[in-house]
Amino acid sequence: MMFTTLSALASEPATTSSIPIKIQNIKNRTFNQDFQEVGKITAVDSTALTFSASEKLITKCFSDGAYVHKGDVIAKLDSTQPKAELQKSETQYAIERSKLHRMLALIQKQPDAISKQDIENQKLQTHLVQVDVQQKKDDLLNYQLIAPFNGRLTNFKYSIGSRISADDVVVSLIKNDPVKVAYSISQQELAQAASNQQVTISVDAYKNKHFTGVVNYIAPEVDSQSGRIDVQANIKNTDKLLIPGMFAKVTQHSAKNITYPIVSQTAVIVDGDKRYVWLYDGKGVKQQPVVLGDNTNDGYVVIKQGVDVNDKVVVAGQQNLKPDSLVKLQTSTAPALPLSSVKKAPQLSSSSNKPMQKVTESSNQGALHETA
C-alpha cells in the first residue's frame, strides 16, 4: 500500500509560503459485482447399494473406488437355488406350450376333437407358467448388485464368502460429474443473485486450477439461524478431481454492475483508523474523510463514501497541507485516472470491520472487493 501516514506529515517542516500541489479529477469506474463465499462440495447423486435377497457374496466385479457405468453388475450373491427354480419353471413352460400347440394343431384337423373350454384352460395354464418364468428371472436379479447411474464406488463393506442379508449396505455409489457446491449468501447479496449465473470455485488440493459451473438453486427462504440464504451450483468435474466433502472458495459472478469513484492510493492519508483525502476547490484545500473499498492493483483505490465524480483530489504535495494552507497548482497536473484493465487485488484496510463483498470490474477488468 502507498498511503501517506500522519506520522509522515508530522515530520515535514512547517511553512507559510504557498505549497505546490498536483490535483486529479476524480473519475468513476464501473464494476461487475461478484460474491465470494466458502462452500462445500457434495455429490449430485449418491446411494447406498443393497441386495434384495439374502445369500453368500461370491463375486465382486470391481475393486474399491472403481468407476462404473449405469447397468454394470457390481457384485453377485450365490444364486444356485434361484437358478434351479428358474430352470424348473422354464421346463414346465416348454411342456405347457408344447401341449397347447398340439391341441391347436389337432382342432385344425378335427374341430370337434377338443372342447373350447379345454383349449381356454390350456391357454391359461400356459400363460400362468410363462408369468412364473418371468417372475423367477426377476427374482434372479435380486442376487446381483447393479449400478443405477454412472459413478464411483466407495469401499466394499463385506468380503467374498460373507453372508449378506437383504438391505445390508454392501457398497455406496457416488456420481462425481457434475458435483454440487453448497454455500450461502447474505440478504444484501440476494438482490444481485439469480439462477443460471456463472460460478467459479477453487480448492486447496489444486490451488492453480479453477472449476466452473452455474447456479441451479437459491433457497426460497432465509435460514432462521444464520440469517443467510442457501445456494447450490452444479460444477463440471470432467477430470474427477473434485471429491464430495471438500471445502471450496466460491465466486458467484453477478451480471449486475456497480459504479464507484476511484482515487490514487497516494492521495489517501492514514490517521489511525481514519482515512481522508485533500480536495481542492479552486482556491484552497479541505480535508475530506472517506470510506475505502479495495485497491484496484493499478495504483488506485475505490472510494465508497466521501467524494464525488469530478472532485479535484490532491495527489502530490499533500504531505505539507493544513486546512488553512496556501496552495498553488503546479504547471502540469497529475495524469488522468486510467480506465484500463485492472487485476485482482488484496483487500484494502479501512475503518470498517464489516465483511467484504467481491466486486469485479466489467469487461474482464479484474476484481475488487466491496464492503458489505
Side-chain angles (χ1 to χ4, degrees):
M1 305 297 176
M2 300 176 61
F3 299 149
T4 304
T5 62
L6 189 62
S7 59
L9 300 181
S11 64
E12 297 292 333
T15 177
T16 57
S17 60
S18 295
I19 299 172
I21 60 172
K22 290 184 179 181
I23 62 172
Q24 196 172 62
N25 286 344
I26 293 177
K27 301 292 185 182
N28 280 340
R29 191 180 287 182
T30 300
F31 304 92
N32 288 331
Q33 296 188 84
D34 291 347
F35 318 138
Q36 282 193 326
E37 306 291 349
V38 175
K40 191 173 184 179
I41 304 296
T42 61
V44 172
D45 288 312
S46 63
T47 184
L49 299 179
T50 62
F51 287 102
S52 297
S54 299
E55 254 299 346
K56 289 182 180 179
L57 181 65
I58 61 169
T59 304
K60 291 191 291 186
C61 303
F62 294 91
S63 58
D64 293 350
Y67 291 97
V68 298
H69 295 87
K70 181 178 180 180
D72 284 346
V73 177
I74 297 171
K76 298 178 181 179
L77 295 179
D78 183 359
S79 57
T80 303
Q81 182 177 348
K83 282 181 179 178
E85 292 176 354
L86 172 60
Q87 187 176 12
K88 181 179 178 181
S89 292
E90 288 176 333
T91 300
Q92 185 62 39
Y93 174 57
I95 293 172
E96 298 296 340
R97 183 174 57 180
S98 177
K99 184 176 180 180
L100 176 61
H101 288 169
R102 289 196 305 271
M103 293 174 69
L104 293 175
L106 179 59
I107 64 172
Q108 289 292 327
K109 297 177 181 180
Q110 303 178 26
D112 297 329
I114 304 174
S115 69
K116 290 183 180 180
Q117 183 63 43
D118 289 341
I119 295 293
E120 291 302 320
N121 288 342
Q122 186 57 41
K123 285 182 178 180
L124 177 59
Q125 181 63 26
T126 303
H127 175 70
L128 290 175
V129 177
Q130 184 184 25
V131 170
D132 186 62
V133 168
Q134 186 59 52
Q135 182 63 52
K136 293 292 194 300
K137 288 181 178 179
D138 293 342
D139 290 343
L140 193 57
L141 293 177
N142 293 333
Y143 291 76
Q144 296 181 347
L145 210 56
I146 299 175
F149 50 79
N150 297 349
R152 186 178 183 183
L153 299 173
T154 61
N155 61 308
F156 284 86
K157 308 298 183 184
Y158 296 91
S159 301
I160 299 298
S162 300
R163 183 171 182 82
I164 309 296
S165 297
D167 300 330
D168 284 345
V169 175
V170 178
V171 67
S172 293
L173 179 62
I174 298 172
K175 186 175 183 178
N176 52 6
D177 184 25
V179 292
K180 291 189 297 186
V181 61
Y183 57 101
S184 64
I185 60 176
S186 69
Q187 296 181 44
Q188 180 181 359
E189 293 168 334
L190 180 61
Q192 286 78 44
S195 293
N196 297 318
Q197 286 179 342
Q198 295 294 311
V199 167
T200 303
I201 73 168
S202 62
V203 295
D204 288 342
Y206 311 103
K207 295 184 182 296
N208 297 321
K209 188 174 181 62
H210 292 84
F211 305 84
T212 60
V214 294
V215 174
N216 68 329
Y217 171 76
I218 299 176
E221 61 182 357
V222 175
D223 185 275
S224 59
Q225 295 186 353
S226 67
R228 296 171 66 83
I229 298 92
D230 291 333
V231 179
Q232 293 181 3
N234 278 351
I235 305 296
K236 295 178 182 178
N237 191 29
T238 307
D239 296 332
K240 313 294 191 300
L241 299 177
L242 298 175
I243 299 174
M246 280 182 165
F247 288 97
K249 298 175 183 177
V250 184
T251 300
Q252 181 175 334
H253 305 286
S254 171
K256 298 185 179 181
N257 295 335
I258 190 168
T259 299
Y260 286 118
I262 60 172
V263 302
S264 171
Q265 288 184 18
T266 59
V268 179
I269 307 298
V270 177
D271 180 8
D273 61 354
K274 298 179 182 179
R275 309 288 186 270
Y276 61 88
V277 297
W278 289 97
L279 297 181
Y280 177 70
D281 63 4
K283 298 179 182 180
V285 292
K286 69 172 183 176
Q287 193 180 87
Q288 177 61 45
V290 293
V291 176
L292 304 180
D294 272 13
N295 71 64
T296 65
N297 211 31
D298 62 350
Y300 293 85
V301 60
V302 169
I303 301 296
K304 299 296 297 297
Q305 295 179 16
V307 298
D308 294 314
V309 64
N310 292 326
D311 282 348
K312 295 175 174 58
V313 64
V314 179
V315 295
Q318 70 271 37
Q319 294 87 349
N320 301 316
L321 292 179
K322 295 181 179 180
D324 57 351
S325 294
L326 299 177
V327 297
K328 62 178 180 180
L329 295 182
Q330 291 185 310
T331 53
S332 60
T333 59
L337 289 173
L339 297 178
S340 58
S341 63
V342 298
K343 298 180 180 179
K344 185 176 180 180
Q347 180 176 318
L348 188 68
S349 300
S350 71
S351 58
S352 172
N353 290 323
K354 297 180 179 179
M356 305 298 288
Q357 173 187 349
K358 187 179 177 185
V359 183
T360 306
E361 184 173 358
S362 59
S363 304
N364 297 320
Q365 292 183 337
L368 299 173
H369 290 75
E370 176 196 1
T371 304

